[in-house]
Amino acid sequence: MIPIPVAIALLCAFLLVLLDTLRVREAVLKGVFLIGALLPAPVFLFVGVGSEVVGGWPREAGIEVAVTRLNMPFLVGEIVLFAFVAFYSLAYFNLKDGKTRKVLALLLLLHAGLMGAFVARDLFNFYIYMEIASVSAFSLVAFSDEKGAKRAAFKYLMLSLLASYLFVFAVGLVYMETGYLNVGLITENARDSRELQVALGVALSALVLKAGIFPLHGWLPDAHSKAPTPVSALLSGAVVKAPAYGMILLLPALPAGEPLRLALLAVAVVSIFFGIAMALLQKDAKRLLAYHTVSQMGYVLLGIASLNFLGAAYYAMAHSIFKGGLFLGIGSMGRKSRELGTFGYRGDAVMMASVIALSLAIGGVSPLIGAYGKGLIYSNLSWPWKLAVPLGSVGTLVSFTKLNSYLAMGRGVKLPASWKLPVLGLALTALAGGLYLGLGLNPKDLLYLSAAFLIFQLLKRAGVFEKSPSPGGGEVGEEVNRLTAVMVAFILLLTLIQGV
Amino acid sequence: MKMSVVVRTTTKMVSPFLVTYAAYLMLYGHLSPGGGFQGGVILAVAVILLITSHGYRKVRRRFHFNWASLIESSAGAMLVLLGLAGLAFGAFYSNFLPTEGGIILPFNVIVGLEVGAGFTFVFYILLRWVESD
């Protein structure tokens, strides 16, 4: 029964293209889209936790799918975010235009791909569904009319495909060594060997690239900021989570030594602070949020590298909800110009409350959902690494103090309710989710908040926010080459470090 | 981009055989080497050959752009429905037909249609930029 939700989304995507070709009325298309977007959630509830093999084949031959404690948070985050994004995109995209109607089908393919990747217990099947999601993501980024969107999509395409091919190569190596693609069977049959070390190194670097974590994040700020707003929310909220889930599948299955985990921890910590530092310097609001994705995926990797998969999963879920909400909120307010200071939420109480709540959530302030995952990740780290979590929280809060201070200055434009409600809904979900997971007020957060405010004032005095790094430019091929070289160096690092 | 008489006549003669071969690969995919994907690719090649030799405009009149899209999306939907039909017999994609190979035969045919129409569709879309017939 577990594959049914994925099948529903896929079926609705195909039906949308079919009905669009037959030139059916717009209302029907919207109905089919909403069915595909919303129906999987109750079906998942109905199916419940469990594991099965598609088609009733034996486990060695078939494709195993499962809903477990580990992938449930990923699924919940994706489904909740997609529901709100679905309503938002119906209002956002102009469906009168024949070209734009295809966007709904692509969104559903993205939905199906992500759900399929999250239920997979089989490396190849995981790869296929992650690819379905990625390919729809490239085309959705290219859908934007903005200047530079095609370029961003091309860069994303090249790097992501490079990572995919390397990942499938690594899956091939694992298959060659163990004879299985099923994660459970690989775990039972994997013996430490050179080939498996190489496979683990290559596959992990491919997933790190796709998740947009620090040294390999080069494609992310462009792709996430240039995409249409609902797509940005999905990209940052859900698409980068699929590779994170892939790491959760891979790491326990293959023999990974201590040096590799230490290297991943270091990468995660650097990613957290690099993302914050770059975000502090951004003038473009969506680019600021995109750099925060680099930083937040660092936390997820921190959880994964410390083998605290549950913490990583819960933080990924929280990130889906608040980052999606932030992108929708900032994107709809800054539709005309995303330059900080030219727009804001003054005079719009709903938007103000939602964005502030979501900003507190991303900073890990307590009754909101971000704190739960952060607490789980924090509790499982050894001493020097532990520090990264509170310091990162303060840094994130500084950056969001900056964002909110600019937003509070700008006058709000009148927004339609269909744009505001999804943002409000996600903010309320962040609160409700936190309360559901049993969070209360934490006095320590007040300390973090005041520290963040203090640092913000100091940085403002020092004039840090006036500086802004140039967004790059030049030949796109040259940029891809440079990022590929970094990728190769990273693969070598992860592969060689295991031999120590 | 119309080609010489030799090329046009040869393609016209080869194309029906290609379609037959594609049908064979799809229908016997469960018994002999072959299958839906291979059959579909050859199916698409038959159309693509005609387009390159006779020109896009002429072929488009017979194989309309929307047809490719229609076949492609309905084959995709049928593929999922085939899986859902298996639910009545126990599991998603369960092998419920009592014939030789079970649902692999219809599966291969649908995949062939999907792949063939999909490749043709992609080729049509790419041709839009070089529409200098």
Side-chain angles (χ1 to χ4, degrees):
Chain A
M1 290 292 280
I2 296 166
I4 311 284
V6 186
I8 292 171
L10 261 182
L11 182 66
C12 287
F14 288 128
L15 277 182
L16 263 179
V17 180
L18 185 66
L19 294 174
D20 184 30
T21 318
L22 294 172
R23 303 204 192 296
V24 182
R25 271 183 302 126
E26 201 184 301
V28 181
L29 289 184
K30 284 185 177 174
V32 175
F33 175 67
L34 283 181
I35 291 174
L38 302 180
L39 192 59
V43 179
F44 264 124
L45 278 182
F46 176 72
V47 169
V49 176
S51 148
E52 73 172 79
V53 180
V54 176
W57 298 92
R59 195 156 166 243
E60 287 77 13
I63 296 168
E64 192 183 358
V65 287
V67 177
T68 58
R69 230 157 48 94
L70 269 185
N71 62 15
M72 194 69 125
F74 281 101
L75 277 170
V76 170
E78 201 272 336
I79 286 174
V80 168
L81 175 64
F82 195 86
F84 286 109
V85 169
F87 282 113
Y88 187 91
S89 31
L90 283 182
Y92 183 91
F93 290 110
N94 170 25
L95 298 176
K96 300 272 182 299
D97 183 7
K99 210 176 108 190
T100 333
R101 295 168 98 176
K102 297 272 191 295
V103 107
L104 296 183
L106 282 173
L107 281 172
L108 276 185
L109 275 180
L110 189 66
H111 190 39
L114 287 171
M115 282 192 297
F118 289 147
V119 296
R121 293 294 296 164
D122 174 295
L123 286 181
F124 191 71
N125 203 41
F126 166 76
Y127 161 76
I128 293 289
Y129 276 102
M130 190 172 67
E131 267 324 85
I132 292 181
S134 306
V135 170
S136 344
F138 312 143
S139 16
L140 282 168
V141 172
F143 242 100
S144 170
D145 294 326
E146 201 167 322
K147 197 169 144 268
K150 304 279 185 299
R151 191 192 135 99
F154 179 72
K155 210 158 73 177
Y156 182 18
L157 172 90
M158 288 328 267
L159 287 162
S160 190
L161 280 184
L162 170 75
S164 302
Y165 294 148
L166 286 170
F167 182 75
V168 85
F169 163 71
V171 171
L173 277 182
V174 172
Y175 185 60
M176 182 185 88
E177 274 301 295
T178 62
Y180 294 109
L181 288 167
N182 186 304
V183 177
L185 293 169
I186 289 174
T187 317
E188 286 160 24
N189 290 287
R191 268 190 233 103
D192 202 359
S193 71
R194 271 314 236 196
E195 287 82 358
L196 281 185
Q197 286 176 0
V198 171
L200 188 59
V202 172
L204 278 181
S205 355
L207 293 174
V208 164
L209 188 143
K210 284 190 157 252
I213 292 165
F214 162 60
L216 309 176
H217 68 282
W219 56 270
L220 186 143
D222 274 349
H224 286 200
S225 61
K226 301 280 193 225
T229 295
V231 179
S232 295
L234 278 178
L235 281 177
S236 268
V239 177
V240 290
K241 302 294 156 30
Y245 178 65
M247 289 183 214
I248 293 180
L249 284 182
L250 264 177
L251 257 189
L254 298 178
E258 193 67 16
L260 178 76
R261 295 210 295 106
L262 284 180
L264 284 180
L265 278 175
V267 166
V269 172
V270 175
S271 188
I272 292 174
F273 292 106
F274 174 82
I276 291 170
M278 287 304 281
L280 278 174
L281 295 174
Q282 296 306 316
K283 288 268 185 223
D284 179 332
K286 264 169 100 177
R287 222 176 148 78
L288 185 151
L289 291 179
Y291 271 111
H292 268 291
T293 305
V294 177
S295 158
Q296 301 288 313
M297 287 312 286
Y299 285 108
V300 177
L301 183 61
L302 205 60
I304 294 170
S306 58
L307 300 184
N308 176 13
F309 300 127
L310 204 63
Y314 272 107
Y315 199 68
M317 173 180 83
H319 183 243
S320 296
I321 291 168
F322 54 64
K323 185 50 79 58
L326 279 167
F327 258 115
L328 290 186
I330 307 286
S332 40
M333 284 190 288
R335 183 130 199 220
K336 286 209 185 70
S337 153
R338 299 194 317 250
E339 183 83 14
L340 278 178
T342 58
F343 63 93
Y345 50 52
R346 208 170 55 180
D348 190 341
V350 176
M351 240 11 193
M352 186 158 96
S354 331
V355 170
I356 290 179
L358 291 166
S359 307
L360 291 176
I362 197 173
V365 171
S366 233
L368 293 148
I369 199 168
Y372 185 74
K374 242 175 203 168
L376 279 182
I377 292 175
Y378 180 77
S379 64
N380 213 26
L381 285 169
S382 51
W383 190 73
W385 302 108
K386 246 183 166 64
L387 274 178
V389 178
L391 288 180
S393 290
V394 173
T396 311
L397 284 170
V398 172
S399 164
F400 277 88
T401 315
K402 175 198 168 191
L403 182 70
N404 278 296
S405 76
Y406 275 111
L407 287 177
M409 280 191 298
R411 187 103 218 120
V413 284
K414 206 161 159 25
L415 293 173
S418 50
W419 290 27
K420 276 200 254 179
L421 285 180
V423 185
L424 180 67
L426 281 165
L428 288 178
T429 315
L431 182 63
L435 293 177
Y436 174 75
L437 292 169
L439 291 175
L441 284 169
N442 189 346
K444 244 201 251 169
D445 291 332
L446 217 58
L447 192 71
Y448 293 156
L449 275 171
S450 42
F453 194 70
L454 208 69
I455 296 173
F456 168 71
Q457 289 296 346
L458 282 176
L459 287 177
K460 202 177 170 190
R461 288 279 159 75
V464 172
F465 301 137
E466 263 70 72
K467 293 191 191 76
S468 165
S470 64
E475 198 65 25
V476 64
E478 207 176 286
E479 219 168 325
V480 171
N481 283 353
R482 217 176 310 127
L483 295 172
T484 310
V486 179
M487 165 88 178
V488 172
F490 192 77
I491 294 177
L492 283 178
L493 170 81
L494 277 199
T495 315
L496 292 178
I497 209 164
Q498 295 180 74
V500 181
Chain B
M1 39 176 180
K2 222 157 126 185
M3 291 195 173
S4 71
V5 183
V6 180
V7 179
R8 271 184 285 151
T9 322
T10 321
T11 353
K12 257 188 191 165
M13 276 163 60
V14 168
S15 279
F17 289 108
L18 278 179
V19 175
T20 321
Y21 185 49
Y24 165 76
L25 283 184
M26 284 185 232
L27 291 172
Y28 284 85
H30 58 292
L31 297 174
S32 59
F37 192 91
Q38 291 83 338
V41 169
I42 291 173
L43 204 63
V45 161
V47 182
I48 290 171
L49 263 183
L50 282 175
I51 295 172
T52 41
S53 61
H54 286 75
Y56 175 52
R57 296 250 165 85
K58 200 169 170 194
V59 178
R60 195 174 52 174
R61 245 175 281 146
R62 288 286 174 83
F63 299 96
H64 199 262
F65 184 80
N66 271 355
W67 282 24
S69 170
L70 220 65
I71 297 175
E72 195 265 339
S73 47
S74 51
M78 273 196 288
L79 210 54
V80 183
L81 287 177
L82 185 69
L84 288 178
L87 269 184
F89 300 86
F92 189 68
Y93 267 118
S94 75
N95 201 355
F96 58 85
L97 285 181
T99 53
E100 191 176 19
I103 64 163
I104 300 178
L105 174 64
F107 181 83
N108 270 340
V109 172
I110 298 173
V111 168
L113 288 177
E114 165 81 35
V115 171
F119 271 103
T120 315
F121 194 58
V122 168
F123 196 70
Y124 273 176
I125 289 177
L126 289 177
L127 267 183
R128 278 181 179 173
W129 279 288
V130 284
E131 219 171 324
S132 56
D133 236 12

